Amino acid sequence: MLFGGDEHFQEVKIEFPFGLPGFEVFTHFKISALHDYEPFCVLQSEEEPAISMLIIEVKFLAIQDKIVIPDKELRKVNIHDEKDALVFLILKVNHKSHELTANTRAPLVINLETKKGFQAILEDATLPLEYSLAKGLN
Amino acid sequence: MLVLTRKSGESIRIGNNIIITVLESPSGQTKIGVKAPLDIPIHREEVYNRIQQENKSALLVHDEMSNMLAKYVRGKS
């Protein structure tokens, strides 16, 4: 179930005040649920629709327990309890294995109340940039 | 204060447009202290660059996605 249990979620607009690494000038995005392919979602720039990425909430992946967002990172978007944070990972296609992989080192951290987010870059260098989804979802 | 370890010639990028570079250090490694507002992103330059690359390589190619996603959704049920 997506977004804190909102079954009817279709789309939410999120501001990333610093953009995303590689796309720093774009700050206004929307996250859309792919209902035919739940729990996958799409993050898309409202300013440049070609900037569009597949994302998934971290809770659907077995590696979720290893992805710890430090309090000082959460406070960047005024989150004081990690339960209030919505955490997504950006996915890409590995063209050799034809599998999806998730960037676990750089999660998107979103305060759903203020609709503001940022892409954290975690200090834990053991977190894979290409975590395979081949083992399936939670 | 945030404390990071860097070598000569390596940089730190602050936000979208600030980079601090260590130009010289006798032992080859210098510690730089950075004080900045909490909401200013501070990263090791090469790690930030890698995440930039990762984000760019994650841009969606729509015609390949449906088949790809169907595999995982089916696999789940």
Side-chain angles (χ1 to χ4, degrees), chain A residues 42-56:
Chain A
V42 170
L43 174 75
Q44 186 172 37
S45 164
E46 297 219 284
E47 295 131 318
E48 176 45 80
I51 296 173
S52 167
M53 303 172 191
L54 196 63
I55 60 174
I56 191 168

Side-chain angles (χ1 to χ4, degrees), chain A residues 18 21 24 52 99-100 119, chain B residues 39 48 52 55 60 71-72:
Chain A
F18 290 96
E24 289 84 356
S52 167
E99 293 288 351
L100 287 172
Q119 187 169 16
Chain B
D39 62 347
Y48 187 88
Q52 282 184 317
N55 282 350
L60 268 180
K71 182 168 77 175
Y72 292 96

Side-chain angles (χ1 to χ4, degrees), chain A residues 78-96:
Chain A
N78 267 318
I79 295 172
H80 298 281
D81 185 335
E82 64 180 334
K83 290 198 294 290
D84 297 330
L86 197 58
V87 181
F88 284 92
L89 299 180
I90 295 176
L91 306 175
K92 68 173 184 178
V93 178
N94 181 314
H95 289 284
K96 285 181 187 164

